[in-house]
Amino acid sequence: MARPTELVEKPRLEAVTKRPETRGPQNRKSTPAMRLAIDVLLDYSLPAESDVLLQIEAAAMADQRIVTERLTATSPERLRAVAGEESVGQRTWAAGVDRFTVRYAAKIEIDRIVQPIDHFGATLARDLPGLVLPYLLPSRYVESHLFDTFVARQFGHLEGGAKVLAMRDWITRELAYVSGVSDGHTTASDTFVRREGVCRDFAHLMAAFTRAAAIPARLVSVYAPSVTPPDFHAVVEVWLDNAWHLIDATAMARPGEMARIAVGRDATDIAFMTVFGTAALIEQRVAVTVEPRGLAES
């Protein structure tokens, strides 16, 4: 017999480290540019009690501040938070059984300096910080070693940020955004051949290109108001001029309006929900809106 479930609210856990993002000299104080209102519903059916790892809370970072947030889930156990990759954001453990419903609501203030990256230089591999080095290597869905020849031929005449922007523009131009043509097994090389996919496919290919050019890239899950259809969104961050810079190869979201959730080597690390069992979707909604300036400043 399944254990009874109840609506459980996750308390704020100060023990979970929320380390500010590494920033270069361009990190300076700016006027808050945008406040996002986020509302998420995850409603699933789990035939047997299973551990569920959630990763849907916006990360508290130097360039994005959590104004308010609340996470609840129907669970027979208390929710437990653990640090995300590189201590960016946090994951939350829950026990799910029968009807598993999660709600997340937050207001996030984006205070980010966005600078053109075309003149930023790449860092030599031997000079990379230890936490950045893994994002130079191939991973499960980002087989960057398969793209060495193509990247050298297509983008070899460019350097640093100019090369990254050319890669982004190539992917935006050559790939079609089409839902339902990829799944959880689709890799960057699959997307390169098919020339179509969704945001995670665009991000995997972008990361593969940049890593093949010896420029570190990590996948990032974000909330952004301009994503169509509204959903969790995947982009990349590239390491240039001793800082991470957001890049969206789908061209749907601008760097100054994204709220980061999680970072990682590929989609495995940034999945919004991982069920250690089986689950069937009942309903899922993600709404991200920009609060009017007067309301955001009150």
Side-chain angles (χ1 to χ4, degrees):
M1 179 180 296
R3 290 189 291 164
T5 63
E6 60 180 342
L7 186 66
V8 180
E9 181 172 359
K10 196 213 77 179
R12 284 184 176 273
L13 298 180
E14 299 302 329
V16 177
T17 303
K18 295 182 177 180
R19 180 173 56 84
E21 187 72 334
T22 304
R23 292 289 156 190
Q26 72 273 22
N27 186 27
R28 63 182 187 276
K29 183 63 179 175
S30 65
T31 302
M34 180 178 294
R35 183 177 290 186
L36 302 180
I38 298 165
D39 187 56
V40 177
L41 168 67
L42 305 178
D43 196 6
Y44 284 77
S45 174
L46 279 63
E49 183 171 333
S50 305
D51 289 333
V52 180
L53 186 60
L54 299 168
Q55 200 163 207
I56 63 174
E57 298 163 86
M61 304 181 73
D63 57 359
Q64 56 183 61
R65 181 174 69 90
I66 299 175
V67 180
T68 63
E69 70 172 349
R70 185 170 188 254
L71 173 67
T72 62
T74 51
S75 175
E77 298 280 352
R78 292 185 61 185
L79 305 183
R80 184 173 66 86
V82 294
E85 292 290 320
E86 297 187 66
S87 294
V88 173
Q90 61 184 28
R91 300 173 171 127
T92 299
W93 281 109
V97 62
D98 296 331
R99 188 78 174 264
F100 181 65
T101 304
V102 178
R103 293 298 303 258
Y104 175 65
K107 295 184 186 298
I108 310 298
E109 192 171 78
I110 308 297
D111 183 6
R112 181 171 301 133
I113 301 297
V114 179
Q115 293 186 333
I117 67 169
D118 51 321
H119 295 300
F120 286 174
T123 303
L124 293 175
R126 63 177 178 268
D127 294 330
L128 290 171
L131 289 175
V132 176
L133 183 58
Y135 302 113
L136 193 62
L137 307 175
S139 60
R140 178 180 178 182
Y141 295 109
V142 182
E143 323 104 300
S144 50
H145 59 291
L146 300 180
F147 293 92
D148 292 345
T149 300
F150 174 80
V151 166
R153 183 176 66 248
Q154 188 76 25
F155 309 107
H157 61 291
L158 299 168
E159 298 291 338
K163 178 178 288 188
V164 169
L165 294 178
M167 293 172 175
R168 179 203 63 187
D169 293 345
W170 187 95
I171 293 172
T172 303
R173 182 179 65 250
E174 298 294 331
L175 267 59
Y177 194 96
V178 181
S179 300
V181 298
S182 60
D183 56 28
H185 303 287
T186 303
T187 66
S189 61
D190 296 329
T191 300
F192 182 76
V193 172
R194 297 171 183 171
R195 302 294 170 94
E196 59 185 5
V198 293
C199 61
R200 62 165 266 164
D201 305 310
F202 280 63
H204 281 153
L205 189 56
M206 182 72 199
F209 280 7
T210 54
R211 292 181 195 176
I215 298 173
R218 64 186 186 184
L219 255 72
V220 188
S221 56
V222 303
Y223 292 114
S226 53
V227 172
T228 304
D231 205 344
F232 300 103
H233 194 48
V235 300
V236 301
E237 282 186 308
V238 296
W239 183 263
L240 293 169
D241 200 36
N242 296 314
W244 290 112
H245 302 275
L246 288 158
I247 301 287
D248 183 9
T250 71
M252 283 197 287
R254 298 185 300 272
E257 67 179 17
M258 301 183 203
R260 298 184 201 83
I261 305 169
V263 303
R265 296 161 298 171
D266 52 36
T268 303
D269 293 335
I270 66 170
F272 69 87
M273 185 173 76
T274 302
V275 179
F276 293 82
T278 59
L281 172 66
I282 298 174
E283 183 181 7
Q284 179 172 308
R285 294 198 309 268
V286 176
V288 183
T289 56
V290 179
E291 287 199 340
R293 175 72 65 177
L295 180 60
E297 293 175 352
S298 62

